Amino acid sequence: MKDGATRDGYGAALIELGASNPDVVVLDSGVSDSSRTKPFGQEFPERFFNMGISEGDMVCTAAGLATTGKIPFATSFACFLLGRSMDQILVSVAYSNTNVKLAGTHSGIAVGEDGPSAQMVVDLAYTRAIPNMIVVQPADWEEARQATHALAEYKGPAYLRLGRGKLKGLYDSSHKFELGKGHVVKKGKEVVIFATGSMLQESMEAMKELQKENITPTLVNISTLKPIDSALIIQLAKEHKAVITAEDHNKFGGLGDAVGDVLLENNIHAAFKKIAVNDQFAETGTAAQLYEKYGLSASHVVKAVKEVLT
Amino acid sequence: MQGATTATDEISQLEEIAREIRRTSLQIIHRAGSGHPGGSLSATDIVTDLFFGGIMKYDPKNPKDPDRDRFLLSKGHASGLHFTTLAKAGFFPEKELESYRKINSPLFLSGHAHPKTPGVEIASGSLGQGLSVAHGIALGARLDSRNYKVYVVLGDGELQEGQIWEAAMSAAKFKSTNLTAIVDYNKVCQDNLTQDLKDLEPLEDKWRAFGWDTHRIDGHNMQEIHKTLKMPAHAEKPRVIIADTIKGKGVSFMEGQTAWHGVAPSTEDLEKALKELE
C-alpha cells in the first residue's frame, strides 16, 4: 500500500494514460507543478495545454477538444476550477454533455496554511447539483490512480476531487475501484461510518481508538458521491443502529446530504450524524490543526461514534 | 470579364439567400412569440456567406463528419438565424422550424442552440464562451492533423466578457491559424448602445495587441465579406474579422434599436418587415 496524496495518484495515472490512450489530453491553468500535471506535459508536450491563469477559458477549451473526440482532463486547484468556471461547466460541459474531466486538486480545509480562500469546501455541493455530472473523490494514492483510469473510460462529464496532503495507503493494486460503488473497508456493528477522501484516514485512526473500548463500527469508503451507491447505503443503514458521514466539506450539499437523502427517501430511520465543516470559513494553520479545531480529526470521529451510541 | 460577371451573379445570389434567411428568421421568431430579431438580422450576411458562399465545407447529411469545417454562434441568442441557416443548408427540413422555442421540439430547437440539433457543435446561452470552445476545436484539429477550419461568430456586447480576451490570448499563444473569429459589431446591446454600456474602442488595436491577424469590413457588403473570408490563413496568427453591422439590418424600424434586441414582431410588424425584405 502506497502512501501519498491523491493528486500524486492522479499525476501517475495521467502518465500511464498518456502512453495507453492517445485521446487523453491534459489542460492546466498555471499550477501544473502543484497539480501534478507537469510530468504529463514533459512526456507528452503536444497533448498538454497550459492555458495560463484563466480557468473559464481552460474549461471551454477542454469542451471544444472533447467535441473532436479527445478526453480532456482540465486541472486546477478545486477553489479556482469550480469557483471561476461554474458557468462554463454548466453550459459548455454539463449541458452540452461534453466528455470533459474536471480535476480539482487542493480541496477541503486540508489545504491548510493558504487559508480559507484556497480551502474549497463547497465543490461537492456545486458539482452534485449539476445534471449529467458524476462526482468522485478517492481516498488514497492508489484509488486516485484507478479512479483517473476509470474516468478516462467513462463517457461524460465528471468531477474528480483531489487533495494536497499525503494520505496513508488504504489500498494496494489488487483493489478494484468501481465507479458508483462504495467499498466496505471494515465490517463491524452498531454504527456505520460513510466516509470520503481524507476522512477515511481519520476514520481509520478513530477505529483504532474505539477498538480499545470494544467499539467496532463499520467503515465504508464512498468514493463516488454521484451517482451514490444507494443500495449499499440502504443495506448497511438497516443493519446498524446509527449512521455517521464524514467529509472535508461544508455540512451542506456534500456526502452527508447525499447519504441523508438516501435514508429519507427510503424511509429508513437511524440515528444520524454528519462530520463536516460546520458552515463556516476556517482559517490558516496546518491541516492537522485545522482538522482538530474544525471538527474533522480522528478524535471528533471517536466522539461522534460515542454520541450516536448513547 | 466573364469571370467578373459570374462573381457578381454569385454575390447577388448570396444577397437573395440572405434576404430569404432574414424573412424566415423573423417568421419563426414571430411564430414562437419570443426571440431575438435584431442580432439575427445583423449577422445574417456573414453567416450566409459562410454557409452558402463556398467558405465552409460541410455535408448536411453527415453533420458529424470529422473533417467538416466548424461553425459556432457564440452570441447564441441569434438562434433564429442559426436554425434558419441550418435548415436552408439542409441539416434538417425547414418544416422543423415550426417547433422553434416550443416544448417537445423534436430537434431541440431551443431559444439557444444545443448539440442535439444537427449542425450545432456546442450549447450556447451564456455569452463569452464560444471563442474558447472554438479554440479547443482548433487545437483538436491540429492534434489529429486535420485541415478543417473553425469559424465563430461573436457579438460585440459579448466582447465585454473577460473570457473572450482570455481566449484571445490562448489562441495567439498556440498560434491557432485555423481559427477565425467574426465580430458582429452591431453597436447595440440589450439595454444600451455598446459604447455607452462599455465601449470596445479602439477595437482593432485591441485585437492586434492580443496577437491576432485583424481585419475590419462592412458586414453587410457581401463582396467584402466574401473576399475577406476567402483569404488564406495567416502564417502564425489566428484571424479576427471585425464586421461593422447594423442591428436589425434590413428592416427600417428595427435598425439600430435596442428595443428590437429581444422582442418578437407582432403580426402587423412582421408584415411590414417582410414587405421591406422582398
Side-chain angles (χ1 to χ4, degrees), chain B residues 3-224:
Chain B
T5 315
T6 312
T8 312
D9 285 351
E10 277 174 17
I11 293 301
S12 57
Q13 265 176 28
L14 285 170
E15 286 166 348
E16 177 47 38
I17 294 171
R19 264 193 300 277
E20 178 61 29
I21 288 177
R22 284 192 167 92
R23 284 195 291 267
T24 307
S25 300
L26 289 178
Q27 283 166 328
I28 68 171
I29 292 169
H30 166 72
R31 193 187 297 122
S34 65
H36 298 83
S40 292
L41 295 175
S42 63
T44 299
D45 296 311
I46 299 154
V47 176
T48 298
D49 191 43
L50 283 170
F51 277 85
F52 302 98
I55 303 297
M56 284 188 2
K57 57 180 191 320
Y58 59 88
D59 175 4
K61 300 295 164 234
N62 184 14
K64 292 286 174 199
D65 178 358
D67 287 313
R68 71 193 181 280
D69 286 337
R70 268 60 164 188
F71 171 77
L72 284 83
L73 185 68
S74 188
K75 45 170 286 182
H77 51 282
S79 55
L81 163 65
H82 197 180
F83 294 143
T84 297
T85 305
L86 291 174
K88 292 195 189 292
F91 285 88
F92 48 83
E94 273 195 55
K95 196 169 166 33
E96 297 288 344
L97 294 171
E98 288 172 14
S99 72
Y100 175 49
R101 298 179 81 104
K102 296 273 201 287
I103 195 160
N104 300 322
S105 170
L107 293 181
F108 213 74
L109 302 183
S110 178
H112 296 83
H114 183 278
K116 278 181 190 167
T117 303
V120 174
E121 303 290 345
I122 195 87
S124 61
S126 180
L127 294 173
Q129 299 189 19
L131 187 58
S132 302
V133 177
H135 182 226
I137 299 173
L139 292 173
R142 183 192 302 177
L143 282 176
D144 290 338
S145 306
R146 294 186 190 273
N147 292 321
Y148 61 81
K149 295 193 163 46
V150 188
Y151 298 93
V152 55
V153 170
L154 309 172
D156 59 342
E158 147 172 70
L159 302 191
Q160 294 167 356
E161 291 280 4
Q163 191 184 342
I164 292 292
W165 303 100
E166 297 175 5
M169 282 191 272
S170 295
K173 167 186 164 170
F174 288 101
K175 297 186 167 49
S176 297
T177 57
N178 51 351
L179 174 63
T180 299
I182 304 141
V183 179
D184 174 19
Y185 197 0
N186 66 28
K187 325 286 188 301
V188 179
C189 294
Q190 177 172 328
D191 70 343
N192 264 292
L193 300 183
T194 311
Q195 64 173 10
D196 297 334
L197 192 55
K198 186 140 72 181
D199 196 6
L200 305 174
E201 294 297 340
L203 190 54
E204 285 163 85
D205 291 349
K206 285 193 172 88
W207 284 100
R208 278 200 195 98
F210 275 73
W212 284 59
D213 175 40
T214 305
H215 301 263
R216 188 156 187 166
I217 63 166
D218 173 351
H220 299 308
N221 180 328
M222 201 58 91
Q223 189 93 48
E224 210 179 330

Side-chain angles (χ1 to χ4, degrees), chain A residues 78-94:
Chain A
C79 55
F80 309 129
L81 179 67
L82 277 300
R84 303 302 296 237
S85 316
M86 194 58 177
D87 179 42
Q88 289 84 352
I89 291 168
L90 272 175
V91 178
S92 290
V93 178

Side-chain angles (χ1 to χ4, degrees), chain A residues 59 72-74 81-82 89 93 100-104 133 158-161:
Chain A
V59 166
F73 283 80
L81 179 67
L82 277 300
I89 291 168
V93 178
V100 174
K101 318 303 169 186
L102 304 158
M133 182 71 65
Y159 175 50
L160 180 64
R161 187 182 205 240

Side-chain angles (χ1 to χ4, degrees), chain A residues 10 15 35 49 56 62 104 116-117 166-167 170 175-176 187 190 259 275 293 296:
Chain A
Y10 168 66
I15 294 285
S35 69
F49 303 98
S117 55
K166 206 174 195 183
L167 297 174
L170 192 65
H175 173 68
K176 290 278 168 279
K187 191 81 172 67
E190 293 189 291
V259 172
I275 297 171
K293 182 165 178 180
L296 304 183

Side-chain angles (χ1 to χ4, degrees), chain B residues 35-39 247-248 253-255 257-266 269:
Chain B
H36 298 83
K247 191 133 171 171
F253 57 90
M254 291 185 179
E255 287 189 359
Q257 303 296 317
T258 51
W260 285 100
H261 169 85
V263 177
S266 66
D269 288 333

